[in-house]
Each structure stands twice: as structure tokens, then as C-alpha cells.
Amino acid sequence: MKIKSSVGDKVFDIFNVTLMLIICFLTLYPVWYIIVYSFNEGKDAMLGGIYFWPRKFTLDNYKIVFSNSDITTAFMVTVARTVITTTLHVFFTAMVAYAFLKKELMGRKIYMAMGTITLFFGGGLIPYFLLIKSLGLYNTFWVYVIPGMFNFYNLIIFQAFFRELPIELEESAKIDGANDFIIFTRIILPLSTPVLATIALFVGVYNWNDYFMGVIFINNPKLQPIQTFLYKVIAQTTSNQMLAYAPGGIATRNVTSQSLKMATMVITTLPIVCVYPFLQKYFVKGLLIGAIKG
């Protein structure tokens, strides 16, 4: 039997839908405006009045950005950083989390207490910079990789998932002569696909979006990630150079540093924006793993 909605329910539904539409518009319109601006002639866009569609369509902004070899190099550095760091982080953090669950591990409680402290307190930027420099990681590609191989918060999420796995699987494997490393790689990891995918997405998105490491620890332009390149474009130091050294054949008279910024924003954020909606379910699952299990 269909229940008839009251007037109050209908008013609430209308208000709720209207509010959600307004929030969606306020969230999506700035992104759409950047895209529209990037496809419009820069000098024409400075006149204003562009809201929903380019008034004078052009691809010159993107041609100038792609003509800069630094953006290609930065993109490759970011891809390499994201893939390598994410892979090592997931394997290393999962391995440490599995080891910390073993009660026979000497000093396990001390290690866990030390790791918990790092969740609330840090040494600060200057000591961290001095540490990176003393380790020989400054201005090298490995400054992206080695410090990012472990995170204690992700260790806690791994442990929450590992605790739910049947202990009988490990016991039967030990009877067959398997050691801890074989059990971890051949039994624990294959059964932990949901949490592995969740942590991989957390770390992968962070490494793609991070610009701070490239600003503080990298001086070599050939090692800067794509987000650091975007940061310098927004700061106008790079956008003015791109405009000044644009190759012949591209009409730069209608291109401005602002339109180059917009085009660079679209190029640097488009890959992760396209991938993120398909990965959202894993982020939700990861939050549930950390909140419910344990």
C-alpha cells in the first residue's frame, strides 16, 4: 500500500533537493569556470562577462603550456613518484603492521607507543629538513620515496583488517613448513585486497597532489613534480617565462599569464579528477575498516 506524502514531506523534499542543487552548483561551477577560461582568448577573458561558455574559443593556451618541456618532465616525475612510492608504502607498511601483531616480537609495545606519539607530535620543518639533507636525500628523486614508505596511521588500519583474518590459516601454513614471510606474501596479502586498495588510493592521491616536497627539498627543475610546476605557474614565475619563450607559429598576442595558469590547472588536475570518482568507494570502505574493525 502506497503511503501518501504529507504537505510537510513535500516541502522538505523540495527544500532538500533545492539545497543540494545549490551546493552542487557552488562546488562544480568554479571548476567549470577554470575550464571555460582556459579555452578562451586571454585578453578577451580579461574583459569579463565569461560565465558558462568560451566567447572566443582558442587552443593557444594549451599549445603554449604543452610546448614547455618542463611540464612533460614534471608529469613523468609525478607518475614515477606516485607508482613507486605507493607500491613500496603499501608493502612496507603492511609488513610492519603484520609483524607488530605478533606477541612474540620483542619490544612490540614500546614500538607501538613510539609510533603513537608521532601521530600527535612532530619534530618540525627545520629538523626534518636537516635530517633529509644529512641522509643525502636533498635534491634527489628518493626524497619523494624513502620518507613516504611508512605511515603509522595506515599501519593501524592494516592491523585492524589483519586482526579479522582467521588465525587458523597461519597455523595450518606453519604446520606445512611456511615461515612468516611466506605466510605474509602468499596468504595475508592475497586476502587483504580491500585494505591494500584503500591504502594505495590514500597514498597515491596524496603523492599526486603534493607540491610541498618539491618546493622545499628540490632545486633541480628536472625533478619537480607536476603540482610544484603548477605552484610556480600560479606564482607567475613560470607562466611569464612560458609566454616569453612560446614557440613560433602560436599567436601569443591574445594569450595572458592568467589564461596560461587556467590551462595548466586543467592539465595538472584532470588525471586525478577523472580517476577519483571511480575510486571513491574504496575511500569509504577504508574509513569503515578503520572505524568498525579492531
Side-chain angles (χ1 to χ4, degrees):
M1 182 177 177
K2 186 176 181 180
I3 301 177
K4 186 176 181 180
S5 300
S6 64
V7 177
D9 292 335
K10 293 180 179 179
V11 172
F12 174 78
D13 290 340
I14 295 173
F15 174 79
N16 193 30
V17 171
T18 303
L19 179 62
M20 292 299 104
L21 290 175
I22 293 175
I23 294 176
C24 289
F25 176 79
L26 294 177
T27 303
L28 297 177
Y29 179 73
V31 179
W32 177 248
Y33 178 78
I34 292 174
I35 296 174
V36 170
Y37 199 111
S38 68
F39 282 104
N40 197 88
E41 290 184 359
K43 291 189 176 180
D44 176 73
M46 293 178 65
L47 300 176
I50 298 176
Y51 301 108
F52 297 101
W53 199 255
R55 186 165 52 218
K56 291 185 178 181
F57 183 84
T58 183
L59 295 176
D60 289 340
N61 298 318
Y62 288 92
K63 290 179 181 178
I64 294 177
V65 172
F66 281 116
S67 67
N68 190 320
S69 60
D70 288 342
I71 192 172
T72 304
T73 303
F75 184 83
M76 297 304 297
V77 169
T78 303
V79 171
R81 170 193 179 178
T82 302
V83 173
I84 295 174
T85 305
T86 301
T87 302
L88 293 177
H89 178 97
V90 169
F91 182 79
F92 186 77
T93 304
M95 184 169 58
V96 176
Y98 177 71
F100 277 15
L101 286 177
K102 302 302 176 183
K103 295 181 179 180
E104 60 269 22
L105 178 66
M106 295 182 58
R108 181 174 67 96
K109 293 184 179 179
I110 298 177
Y111 298 147
M112 290 297 296
M114 293 173 60
T116 304
I117 292 174
T118 64
L119 295 176
F120 302 97
F121 304 99
L125 179 59
I126 295 178
Y128 184 59
F129 179 85
L130 295 175
L131 175 63
I132 293 296
K133 195 168 185 178
S134 65
L135 292 175
L137 298 177
Y138 180 76
N139 208 30
T140 66
F141 176 79
W142 298 107
V143 75
Y144 300 130
V145 178
I146 295 178
M149 288 178 59
F150 179 78
N151 181 277
F152 194 79
Y153 177 79
N154 292 339
L155 178 143
I156 295 174
I157 297 178
F158 272 120
Q159 285 187 334
F161 188 89
F162 291 160
R163 287 192 185 98
E164 300 299 317
L165 298 178
I167 191 64
E168 291 79 12
L169 293 175
E170 296 185 40
E171 294 175 351
S172 61
K174 289 182 178 179
I175 294 175
D176 293 335
N179 56 36
D180 289 329
F181 186 76
I182 293 177
I183 294 174
F184 173 71
T185 55
R186 298 188 180 182
I187 297 177
I188 302 300
L189 287 184
L191 294 176
S192 305
T193 303
V195 70
L196 291 175
T198 300
I199 300 300
L201 294 173
F202 279 136
V203 178
V205 171
Y206 169 79
N207 278 278
W208 183 273
N209 290 331
D210 176 58
Y211 78 96
F212 188 74
M213 295 286 285
V215 173
I216 301 298
F217 300 112
I218 296 295
N219 280 333
N220 187 354
K222 300 298 182 182
L223 293 176
Q224 68 178 4
I226 193 70
Q227 300 301 337
T228 303
F229 180 84
L230 174 60
Y231 167 81
K232 292 182 178 180
V233 169
I234 295 176
Q236 292 190 347
T237 56
T238 303
S239 59
N240 292 333
Q241 291 177 4
M242 285 194 297
L243 191 58
Y245 295 104
I250 301 178
T252 59
R253 61 182 181 276
N254 293 321
V255 178
T256 63
S257 60
Q258 185 70 12
S259 62
L260 291 180
K261 292 178 187 179
M262 299 299 185
T264 307
M265 288 181 188
V266 174
I267 294 171
T268 55
T269 58
L270 184 61
I272 200 66
V273 168
C274 292
V275 172
Y276 190 86
F278 300 100
L279 308 180
Q280 180 66 28
K281 61 179 180 180
Y282 292 108
F283 283 94
V284 176
K285 185 179 294 185
L287 294 176
L288 293 177
I289 289 173
I292 298 178
K293 294 189 176 183

